[in-house]
């Protein structure tokens, strides 16, 4: 065998032995609570379509109509000739929604984090991150060339020690707003004041908060009442609660202009299809106008937490749509996920390296499109597999 084949086979074999082998299931229906998988109907509790907008008829109409008018491909990067009116209007509307001076669209959240962090810090600077941050921020920190350290999860004291011990040029602190595998919130008010005391900048990845948190769904900053001064760099994604695709960085005029000049994952990539931006504009409108989606989601969260803890499951400290059930061993999490699937419920098992070793979990996510009956069905299945 070629050394590459040998190496790859060894990696694959080891993954299997560790119960960490990842596989994809093929879906033959639109995203929503009822999915068609391999010709079979299952109830899904693992999407990030928190507001249930991914297959909304108004989004579909907007996308189809824009595709007829503007075509499919954007044709080029934003800086060459791919920046359409739909992109521009969407950026304006995101800035307004989030209460920031401006916003800049990226094709994905991964690229937004990579592009923003590597543009803002480099050699001679520091980037401090919560140790449970999303992989895209951790990767960006490593790539940036800045001094990169992680502080204890949700610990302003641990962060303070990092900030105080650094004497270089600039310090950027980056955290998830809602932690994607735990569902808990970052203590942003405390973090913001700690960062300001040390003349740093705070960046928040609000992938799971945007659309869900705050009175109008503007996200974690609205939830805590934090302005652009508190959180100068706000990142959000459009593929989760917005049910569409893409991401943004929002902040000051100066920040956005600098990212346009410096951000490599913004500059060297094709702009998203304008029809996607057109559909996302409808998402923003629905997310703001239809607050019942957030209200219903909150009811489901309360109902799930009550039901699952009555069954004796160990929940995490999460007030959000992300409701992990702590299991521990990888093989146990896999077996439970499989048993639920056999009963018609799709809940993914999250294993290392996505979460720390020994903390494999079932990650239940709830959406505004789920009914009480569907949730009760999941709870009954959870009861069943526990026995
Ligand atoms: C999903 C996610 C991302 C990546 O966003 P994509 O648009 O899917 O690339 C970044 N950060 C967090 C916290 C996420 O959950």
């Amino acid at each position: 065998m070629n050394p590459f084949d040998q190496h790859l086979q060894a990696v694959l074999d080891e993954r299997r032995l560790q119960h960490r082998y990842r596989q994809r299931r093929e879906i033959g229906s639109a995203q929503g609570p009822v999915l068609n998988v391999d010709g079979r109907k299952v109830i899904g509790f693992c999407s990030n379509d928190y507001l249930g907008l991914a297959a909304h008829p108004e989004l579909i109409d907007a996308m189809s109509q824009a595709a007829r008018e503007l075509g499919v491909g954007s044709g080029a990067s934003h800086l060459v000739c791919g920046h359409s009116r739909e992109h521009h209007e969407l950026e304006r509307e995101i800035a307004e929604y989030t209460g920031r001076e401006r916003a800049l669209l990226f094709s994905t959240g991964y690229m937004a984090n990579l592009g923003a962090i590597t543009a803002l810090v480099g050699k001679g600077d520091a980037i401090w991150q919560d140790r449970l941050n999303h992989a895209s921020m951790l990767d960006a920190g490593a790539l940036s060339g800045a001094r990169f350290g992680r502080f204890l999860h949700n610990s302003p004291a641990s962060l303070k020690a990092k900030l105080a011990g650094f004497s270089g040029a600039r310090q950027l602190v980056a955290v998830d707003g809602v932690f994607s595998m735990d569902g808990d919130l970052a203590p942003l008010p405390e973090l913001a004041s700690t960062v300001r005391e040390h003349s740093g900048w705070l960046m928040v990845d609000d992938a799971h908060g945007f659309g869900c948190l705050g009175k109008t769904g503007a996200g974690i900053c609205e939830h805590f009442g934090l302005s652009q001064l508190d959180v100068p760099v706000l990142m959000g994604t459009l593929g989760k609660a917005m049910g569409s695709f893409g991401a943004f960085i929002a902040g000051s005029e100066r920040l956005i202009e600098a990212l346009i000049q410096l951000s490599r994952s913004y500059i060297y990539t094709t702009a998203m299809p304008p029809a996607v931006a057109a559909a996302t504009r409808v998402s923003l409108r629905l997310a703001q106008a239809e607050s019942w989606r957030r209200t219903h989601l909150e009811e489901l969260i309360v109902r799930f937490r009550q039901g699952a803890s009555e069954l004796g499951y160990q929940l995490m400290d999460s007030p959000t749509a992300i409701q992990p059930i702590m299991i521990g061993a990888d093989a146990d999490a896999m077996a439970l996920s499989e048993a639920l699937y056999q009963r018609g419920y799709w809940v993914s098992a999250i294993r290392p390296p996505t979460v720390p070793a020994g903390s494999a979990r079932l990650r239940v996510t709830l959406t505004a499109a789920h009914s009480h009956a569907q949730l009760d069905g999941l709870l009954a299945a959870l009861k069943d597999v526990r026995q």
Side-chain angles (χ1 to χ4, degrees):
M1 263 205 276
N2 178 287
F4 279 105
D5 284 314
Q6 244 166 23
H7 165 68
L8 296 180
Q9 197 54 53
V11 169
L12 293 174
D13 291 345
E14 193 187 348
R15 284 275 163 132
R16 268 197 206 283
L17 275 174
Q18 294 174 320
H19 301 282
R20 288 181 189 172
Y21 205 84
R22 295 162 191 254
Q23 270 164 315
R24 303 161 313 166
R25 284 197 180 109
E26 221 176 288
I27 302 167
S29 54
Q31 196 53 247
V34 183
L35 296 168
N36 189 315
V37 191
D38 302 324
R40 196 183 143 212
K41 276 191 168 43
V42 296
I43 312 288
F45 281 94
C46 43
S47 90
N48 304 312
D49 181 23
Y50 301 126
L51 296 181
L53 293 175
H56 194 288
E58 285 188 47
L59 267 71
I60 296 170
D61 282 349
M63 190 157 169
S64 321
Q65 208 177 320
R68 275 190 291 271
E69 189 190 337
L70 304 169
V72 173
S74 64
S77 66
H78 286 276
L79 292 181
V80 176
C81 60
H83 187 64
S84 80
R85 184 188 67 225
E86 293 296 334
H87 296 127
H88 205 75
E89 285 303 303
L90 175 57
E91 289 183 342
R92 214 182 39 72
E93 288 161 5
I94 290 170
E96 199 177 311
Y97 191 7
T98 56
R100 264 56 186 168
E101 285 168 30
R102 271 184 78 182
L104 186 69
L105 272 184
F106 284 77
S107 290
T108 71
Y110 193 106
M111 291 165 75
N113 281 336
L114 212 62
I117 290 174
T118 58
L120 289 172
V121 290
K123 213 163 177 295
D125 304 320
I127 166 105
W128 309 118
Q129 300 199 25
D130 188 291
R131 59 183 289 272
L132 296 187
N133 269 1
H134 189 262
S136 54
M137 291 218 284
L138 299 174
D139 291 357
L143 187 65
S144 70
R147 186 157 145 212
F148 175 24
R150 302 196 207 186
F151 56 91
L152 297 178
H153 179 52
N154 279 350
S155 168
S158 170
L159 169 62
K160 203 178 175 71
K162 299 276 184 199
L163 288 164
F166 183 74
S167 55
R170 289 174 299 273
Q171 309 198 75
L172 181 66
V173 174
V175 297
D176 284 16
V178 175
F179 286 85
S180 47
M181 296 303 140
D182 296 55
D184 56 340
L185 305 188
L188 283 194
E190 292 83 350
L191 293 175
S193 64
T194 305
V195 175
R196 278 172 86 174
E197 271 166 37
H198 292 85
S199 309
W201 257 12
L202 178 60
M203 169 172 176
V204 174
D205 172 339
D206 203 21
H208 301 280
F210 184 57
C212 296
L213 297 176
K215 193 163 173 289
T216 70
I220 194 159
C221 291
E222 183 183 31
H223 171 82
F224 283 121
L226 298 173
S227 71
Q228 185 177 294
L229 286 175
D230 303 304
V231 178
V233 189
L234 175 64
M235 177 274 198
T237 61
L238 305 168
K240 289 176 176 149
M242 293 303 136
S244 181
F245 186 79
F248 64 86
I249 299 283
S252 68
E253 176 72 31
R254 189 179 286 124
L255 168 70
I256 299 306
E257 276 304 310
L259 292 181
I260 293 173
Q261 314 308 316
L262 303 172
S263 187
R264 295 172 67 85
S265 64
Y266 179 77
I267 300 168
Y268 298 107
T269 201
T270 301
M272 70 167 68
V276 171
T280 313
R281 294 179 63 196
V282 176
S283 309
L284 289 199
R285 182 166 56 67
L286 293 176
Q288 289 170 88
E290 300 188 348
S291 60
W292 64 264
R293 293 178 186 274
R294 278 180 291 281
T295 314
H296 178 62
L297 184 56
E298 273 158 32
E299 281 171 21
L300 293 175
I301 293 167
V302 171
R303 195 180 179 101
F304 173 79
R305 289 185 66 83
Q306 194 174 351
S309 33
E310 275 167 19
L311 294 173
Y313 282 105
Q314 185 191 340
L315 297 178
M316 299 181 71
D317 182 23
S318 164
T320 65
I322 300 168
Q323 288 294 330
I325 299 177
M326 183 54 81
I327 303 298
D330 298 358
D332 293 347
M334 284 302 287
L336 276 169
S337 171
E338 198 46 51
L340 287 171
Y341 193 75
Q342 276 159 17
R343 286 160 179 79
Y345 293 91
W346 186 355
V347 177
S348 45
I350 307 285
R351 293 157 285 166
T354 308
V355 292
S359 73
R361 60 201 69 175
L362 290 175
R363 182 173 177 271
V364 174
T365 54
L366 303 166
T367 77
H370 285 111
S371 65
H372 286 268
Q374 285 166 336
L375 177 56
D376 291 347
L378 172 68
L379 289 167
L382 279 167
K383 183 174 182 188
D384 205 21
V385 299
R386 189 163 180 89
Q387 281 153 4

